[in-house]
Amino acid sequence: MEVVIDRSETLAALAADAIEALVTRRSDAVLGLATGSTPSSVYDELVRRHAEEGLSFAGVRGFLLDEYVGLPEGHPEAYRTVIERELVSRLDLPTESVLGPDGRAEDLAAACTGYEQAIADAGGIDLQILGIGTDGHVAFNEPGSSLASRTRIKTLTEQTRRDNARFFDDEVDAVPQHVLTQGLGTIMAARHLVLLAMGRSKAEAVHQLVEGPISAMWPATILQMHPHVTVLVDDGAASRLQLAAYYRETWQSKPDWQPL
């Protein structure tokens, strides 16, 4: 696990660098796309590179991490709508090349199985963007989730609904209680995981992720078992790391030829 501590704008650029290197090397790369406030700066940087430097996503395919259950089609906070608004519509990435779990399906379990198959049929995810919740969840794998789980239906904790209420006019009751989410086993199958975390509210979760024991109580800790994980955190999110000085030294002395 590589840990980089820097300013938020630098971290966004580093994540964009990893994505640019991938899609330049492989025009048909498969990206795992997160939503929420954390990856928005990364997406803005990719859009800038597309507009100003000609970075193309025409052959890229994308898969969303999760989706709320029951929101109507086109709802502004449905993740399919969010990713279309914040990224897809601003690039040359075809809308039909980006898939998300179908939170409006009549048979939600079948929709989850079909989503897993779609990822497999695409050859798996090359690079997955991740955030982390204050309670250590990744995607919507809440504390207590199976560390081997696949795409499935989950019930959100009250904490997660409170955290997400800011997207629903601060109305907790407007946040759906159920979601479809990639499981931890699904996420771990991606070839490169890039996790971003900003602010002191994420400090304990980041500490557990990087330095704590692997436990379903802190679902993100399973990422310690992945062979290629990049954790990008600002000073606030890194404030509980016991080995912060070592992570800074390691990053500063990293050879230019060694990519993220």
Side-chain angles (χ1 to χ4, degrees):
M1 179 179 287
E2 182 174 35
V3 180
V4 180
I5 305 169
D6 214 316
R7 297 176 304 163
S8 58
E9 55 268 30
T10 301
L11 301 177
L14 288 172
D17 286 346
I19 295 170
E20 179 174 5
L22 171 62
V23 302
T24 301
R25 185 173 70 250
R26 282 194 52 200
S27 61
D28 62 345
V30 181
L31 298 178
L33 302 172
T35 49
S37 56
T38 299
S40 60
S41 58
V42 179
Y43 297 156
D44 286 343
E45 177 60 17
L46 293 175
V47 170
R48 186 196 67 77
R49 296 182 190 194
H50 168 67
E52 298 179 10
E53 302 171 11
L55 180 61
S56 177
F57 293 81
V60 170
R61 289 163 293 174
F63 289 89
L64 301 186
L65 272 174
D66 38 38
E67 183 58 272
Y68 290 113
V69 169
L71 290 183
E73 184 175 4
H75 189 285
E77 296 308 324
Y79 288 143
R80 176 71 230 196
T81 307
V82 171
I83 204 67
E84 184 72 27
R85 180 175 66 239
E86 295 188 354
L87 184 67
V88 177
S89 66
R90 304 165 70 196
L91 299 174
D92 59 344
L93 177 57
T95 295
E96 61 272 16
S97 295
V98 178
L99 299 179
D102 186 0
R104 297 180 294 107
E106 291 187 9
D107 188 336
L108 294 174
C112 293
T113 300
Y115 196 60
E116 284 281 332
Q117 188 60 53
I119 294 173
D121 290 345
I125 292 172
D126 294 306
L127 187 152
Q128 175 67 63
I129 297 292
L130 295 169
I132 187 170
T134 56
D135 59 1
H137 72 255
V138 287
F140 277 127
N141 294 283
E142 300 282 27
S145 291
S146 165
L147 300 180
S149 54
R150 309 301 293 198
T151 301
R152 69 213 187 284
I153 307 162
K154 285 293 290 183
T155 301
L156 297 184
T157 65
E158 187 65 20
Q159 178 64 55
T160 297
R161 295 180 74 211
R162 285 198 301 268
D163 289 346
N164 285 8
R166 67 189 188 278
F167 300 114
F168 292 82
D169 297 324
D170 291 323
E171 294 183 17
V172 175
D173 289 343
V175 181
Q177 289 187 308
H178 299 96
V179 293
L180 303 186
T181 183
Q182 286 189 31
L184 295 170
T186 311
I187 292 167
M188 289 288 286
R191 286 175 273 279
H192 183 192
L193 304 178
V194 178
L195 185 145
L196 297 100
M198 313 294 175
R200 286 186 175 274
S201 66
K202 301 295 180 72
E204 181 61 24
V206 168
H207 166 60
Q208 295 293 335
L209 158 67
V210 177
E211 299 174 337
I214 296 173
S215 168
M217 288 303 295
W218 292 92
T221 57
I222 189 59
L223 272 59
Q224 294 177 27
M225 298 295 293
H226 195 283
H228 191 187
V229 181
T230 305
V231 177
L232 305 174
V233 293
D234 67 2
D235 288 331
S239 60
R240 286 274 290 112
L241 291 176
Q242 296 175 336
L243 298 177
Y246 172 70
Y247 304 138
R248 293 180 190 277
E249 179 184 354
T250 300
W251 173 245
Q252 290 169 359
S253 61
K254 182 173 181 173
D256 292 339
W257 47 260
Q258 187 178 11
L260 284 180

